[in-house]
PDB file of all heavy atoms in Angstrom:
ATOM      1  N   LYS A 232     -48.847  -4.864  19.284  1.00 97.00           N
ATOM      2  CA  LYS A 232     -48.419  -3.576  19.779  1.00 97.00           C
ATOM      3  C   LYS A 232     -46.917  -3.559  19.977  1.00 97.00           C
ATOM      4  O   LYS A 232     -46.223  -2.576  19.608  1.00 97.00           O
ATOM      5  CB  LYS A 232     -49.188  -3.277  21.100  1.00 97.00           C
ATOM      6  CG  LYS A 232     -48.837  -1.938  21.707  1.00 97.00           C
ATOM      7  CD  LYS A 232     -50.019  -1.408  22.509  1.00 97.00           C
ATOM      8  CE  LYS A 232     -50.194  -2.109  23.834  1.00 97.00           C
ATOM      9  NZ  LYS A 232     -49.149  -1.849  24.808  1.00 97.00           N
ATOM     10  N   SER A 233     -46.352  -4.589  20.590  1.00 97.00           N
ATOM     11  CA  SER A 233     -44.944  -4.588  20.877  1.00 97.00           C
ATOM     12  C   SER A 233     -44.123  -4.528  19.564  1.00 97.00           C
ATOM     13  O   SER A 233     -43.110  -3.795  19.485  1.00 97.00           O
ATOM     14  CB  SER A 233     -44.533  -5.877  21.618  1.00 97.00           C
ATOM     15  OG  SER A 233     -45.146  -5.916  22.908  1.00 97.00           O
ATOM     16  N   ARG A 237     -41.681  -1.371  17.915  1.00 98.00           N
ATOM     17  CA  ARG A 237     -40.254  -1.694  17.531  1.00 98.00           C
ATOM     18  C   ARG A 237     -40.007  -1.494  16.080  1.00 98.00           C
ATOM     19  O   ARG A 237     -38.908  -1.107  15.622  1.00 98.00           O
ATOM     20  CB  ARG A 237     -39.924  -3.108  17.976  1.00 98.00           C
ATOM     21  CG  ARG A 237     -39.778  -3.264  19.486  1.00 98.00           C
ATOM     22  CD  ARG A 237     -39.945  -4.684  19.983  1.00 98.00           C
ATOM     23  NE  ARG A 237     -39.656  -4.952  21.403  1.00 98.00           N
ATOM     24  CZ  ARG A 237     -40.513  -4.662  22.393  1.00 98.00           C
ATOM     25  NH1 ARG A 237     -41.668  -4.162  22.136  1.00 98.00           N
ATOM     26  NH2 ARG A 237     -40.154  -4.976  23.645  1.00 98.00           N
ATOM     27  N   THR A 306     -44.392   1.259  27.073  1.00 98.00           N
ATOM     28  CA  THR A 306     -43.430   0.687  26.125  1.00 98.00           C
ATOM     29  C   THR A 306     -42.790   1.781  25.203  1.00 98.00           C
ATOM     30  O   THR A 306     -41.593   1.862  25.045  1.00 98.00           O
ATOM     31  CB  THR A 306     -44.183  -0.323  25.157  1.00 98.00           C
ATOM     32  OG1 THR A 306     -44.798  -1.283  25.980  1.00 98.00           O
ATOM     33  CG2 THR A 306     -43.205  -1.084  24.263  1.00 98.00           C
ATOM     34  N   ARG A 309     -40.298   4.090  27.284  1.00 98.00           N
ATOM     35  CA  ARG A 309     -39.089   3.432  27.752  1.00 98.00           C
ATOM     36  C   ARG A 309     -38.241   3.047  26.589  1.00 98.00           C
ATOM     37  O   ARG A 309     -36.943   3.191  26.658  1.00 98.00           O
ATOM     38  CB  ARG A 309     -39.469   2.245  28.613  1.00 98.00           C
ATOM     39  CG  ARG A 309     -40.111   2.679  29.958  1.00 98.00           C
ATOM     40  CD  ARG A 309     -40.564   1.563  30.752  1.00 98.00           C
ATOM     41  NE  ARG A 309     -41.028   1.976  32.101  1.00 98.00           N
ATOM     42  CZ  ARG A 309     -42.123   1.492  32.679  1.00 98.00           C
ATOM     43  NH1 ARG A 309     -42.813   0.539  32.132  1.00 98.00           N
ATOM     44  NH2 ARG A 309     -42.463   1.891  33.859  1.00 98.00           N
ATOM     45  N   ARG A 337     -36.368   2.340  36.656  1.00 98.00           N
ATOM     46  CA  ARG A 337     -35.956   1.003  36.156  1.00 98.00           C
ATOM     47  C   ARG A 337     -35.251   1.147  34.785  1.00 98.00           C
ATOM     48  O   ARG A 337     -34.496   0.251  34.385  1.00 98.00           O
ATOM     49  CB  ARG A 337     -37.156   0.076  36.076  1.00 98.00           C
ATOM     50  CG  ARG A 337     -38.310   0.633  35.315  1.00 98.00           C
ATOM     51  CD  ARG A 337     -39.495  -0.267  35.191  1.00 98.00           C
ATOM     52  NE  ARG A 337     -40.009  -0.828  36.434  1.00 98.00           N
ATOM     53  CZ  ARG A 337     -40.702  -1.987  36.571  1.00 98.00           C
ATOM     54  NH1 ARG A 337     -41.039  -2.628  35.451  1.00 98.00           N
ATOM     55  NH2 ARG A 337     -41.081  -2.407  37.705  1.00 98.00           N
ATOM     56  N   PRO A 377     -38.483  -8.755  35.896  1.00 96.00           N
ATOM     57  CA  PRO A 377     -38.721  -9.342  34.537  1.00 96.00           C
ATOM     58  C   PRO A 377     -39.447  -8.298  33.708  1.00 96.00           C
ATOM     59  O   PRO A 377     -40.654  -8.083  33.804  1.00 96.00           O
ATOM     60  CB  PRO A 377     -39.649 -10.570  34.809  1.00 96.00           C
ATOM     61  CG  PRO A 377     -40.269 -10.293  36.185  1.00 96.00           C
ATOM     62  CD  PRO A 377     -39.333  -9.376  36.942  1.00 96.00           C
ATOM     63  N   SER A 378     -38.716  -7.668  32.789  1.00 98.00           N
ATOM     64  CA  SER A 378     -39.245  -6.558  31.966  1.00 98.00           C
ATOM     65  C   SER A 378     -38.631  -6.481  30.624  1.00 98.00           C
ATOM     66  O   SER A 378     -37.413  -6.169  30.469  1.00 98.00           O
ATOM     67  CB  SER A 378     -39.082  -5.218  32.704  1.00 98.00           C
ATOM     68  OG  SER A 378     -39.478  -4.163  31.806  1.00 98.00           O
ATOM     69  N   ALA A 379     -39.459  -6.728  29.633  1.00 98.00           N
ATOM     70  CA  ALA A 379     -38.982  -6.649  28.253  1.00 98.00           C
ATOM     71  C   ALA A 379     -38.686  -5.184  27.886  1.00 98.00           C
ATOM     72  O   ALA A 379     -37.837  -4.861  27.068  1.00 98.00           O
ATOM     73  CB  ALA A 379     -39.996  -7.177  27.279  1.00 98.00           C
ATOM     74  N   GLN A 380     -39.377  -4.251  28.531  1.00 98.00           N
ATOM     75  CA  GLN A 380     -39.205  -2.864  28.252  1.00 98.00           C
ATOM     76  C   GLN A 380     -37.797  -2.431  28.740  1.00 98.00           C
ATOM     77  O   GLN A 380     -37.097  -1.707  28.021  1.00 98.00           O
ATOM     78  CB  GLN A 380     -40.276  -1.970  28.888  1.00 98.00           C
ATOM     79  CG  GLN A 380     -41.658  -2.214  28.305  1.00 98.00           C
ATOM     80  CD  GLN A 380     -42.774  -1.493  29.027  1.00 98.00           C
ATOM     81  OE1 GLN A 380     -42.501  -0.786  30.017  1.00 98.00           O
ATOM     82  NE2 GLN A 380     -43.964  -1.676  28.592  1.00 98.00           N
ATOM     83  N   ARG A 405     -40.644 -11.302  26.675  1.00 97.00           N
ATOM     84  CA  ARG A 405     -40.816 -11.271  25.244  1.00 97.00           C
ATOM     85  C   ARG A 405     -39.550 -10.846  24.504  1.00 97.00           C
ATOM     86  O   ARG A 405     -38.850  -9.924  24.984  1.00 97.00           O
ATOM     87  CB  ARG A 405     -42.012 -10.383  24.841  1.00 97.00           C
ATOM     88  CG  ARG A 405     -41.871  -8.913  25.165  1.00 97.00           C
ATOM     89  CD  ARG A 405     -43.197  -8.175  24.983  1.00 97.00           C
ATOM     90  NE  ARG A 405     -44.121  -8.578  26.024  1.00 97.00           N
ATOM     91  CZ  ARG A 405     -45.395  -8.346  26.008  1.00 97.00           C
ATOM     92  NH1 ARG A 405     -45.948  -7.708  24.967  1.00 97.00           N
ATOM     93  NH2 ARG A 405     -46.201  -8.692  27.020  1.00 97.00           N
ATOM     94  N   ILE A 530     -48.109 -11.673  30.998  1.00 98.00           N
ATOM     95  CA  ILE A 530     -48.236 -10.646  31.976  1.00 98.00           C
ATOM     96  C   ILE A 530     -49.387  -9.655  31.693  1.00 98.00           C
ATOM     97  O   ILE A 530     -50.047  -9.157  32.593  1.00 98.00           O
ATOM     98  CB  ILE A 530     -46.891  -9.861  32.137  1.00 98.00           C
ATOM     99  CG1 ILE A 530     -46.869  -9.029  33.433  1.00 98.00           C
ATOM    100  CG2 ILE A 530     -46.502  -9.053  30.948  1.00 98.00           C
ATOM    101  CD1 ILE A 530     -46.917  -9.880  34.719  1.00 98.00           C
ATOM    102  N   ASP A 531     -49.654  -9.433  30.385  1.00 98.00           N
ATOM    103  CA  ASP A 531     -50.744  -8.469  30.052  1.00 98.00           C
ATOM    104  C   ASP A 531     -52.083  -9.147  30.086  1.00 98.00           C
ATOM    105  O   ASP A 531     -53.145  -8.481  29.900  1.00 98.00           O
ATOM    106  CB  ASP A 531     -50.516  -7.905  28.671  1.00 98.00           C
ATOM    107  CG  ASP A 531     -49.359  -6.923  28.689  1.00 98.00           C
ATOM    108  OD1 ASP A 531     -49.011  -6.373  29.762  1.00 98.00           O
ATOM    109  OD2 ASP A 531     -48.751  -6.723  27.602  1.00 98.00           O
ATOM    110  N   LYS A 558     -48.313  -1.532  36.066  1.00 98.00           N
ATOM    111  CA  LYS A 558     -48.694  -1.420  34.575  1.00 98.00           C
ATOM    112  C   LYS A 558     -49.504  -0.128  34.411  1.00 98.00           C
ATOM    113  O   LYS A 558     -49.385   0.792  35.245  1.00 98.00           O
ATOM    114  CB  LYS A 558     -49.575  -2.664  34.167  1.00 98.00           C
ATOM    115  CG  LYS A 558     -48.821  -3.968  34.253  1.00 98.00           C
ATOM    116  CD  LYS A 558     -47.715  -3.941  33.217  1.00 98.00           C
ATOM    117  CE  LYS A 558     -46.894  -5.212  33.278  1.00 98.00           C
ATOM    118  NZ  LYS A 558     -45.707  -5.195  32.356  1.00 98.00           N
TER     119      LYS A 558
HETATM  120  C1  S3P B1386     -43.987  -4.823  26.550  1.00 96.39           C
HETATM  121  C2  S3P B1386     -43.516  -5.379  27.743  1.00 96.39           C
HETATM  122  C3  S3P B1386     -44.317  -5.596  28.931  1.00 96.39           C
HETATM  123  C4  S3P B1386     -45.833  -5.506  28.627  1.00 96.39           C
HETATM  124  C5  S3P B1386     -46.159  -4.352  27.736  1.00 96.39           C
HETATM  125  C6  S3P B1386     -45.387  -4.450  26.373  1.00 96.39           C
HETATM  126  C7  S3P B1386     -43.019  -4.594  25.474  1.00 96.39           C
HETATM  127  O1  S3P B1386     -44.045  -4.624  29.908  1.00 96.39           O
HETATM  128  O2  S3P B1386     -46.564  -5.425  29.799  1.00 96.39           O
HETATM  129  O3  S3P B1386     -47.517  -4.245  27.455  1.00 96.39           O
HETATM  130  O4  S3P B1386     -43.483  -4.351  24.308  1.00 96.39           O
HETATM  131  O5  S3P B1386     -41.820  -4.668  25.697  1.00 96.39           O
HETATM  132  P1  S3P B1386     -42.801  -4.843  30.934  1.00 96.39           P
HETATM  133  O6  S3P B1386     -41.530  -4.841  30.211  1.00 96.39           O
HETATM  134  O7  S3P B1386     -42.920  -3.675  31.865  1.00 96.39           O
HETATM  135  O8  S3P B1386     -43.154  -6.100  31.639  1.00 96.39           O
END
Side-chain angles (χ1 to χ4, degrees):
K232 182 153 73 71
S233 295
R237 286 158 174 82
T306 306
R309 290 176 175 138
R337 52 178 52 203
S378 169
Q380 292 175 1
R405 66 191 68 196
I530 196 66
D531 289 337
K558 295 294 178 186

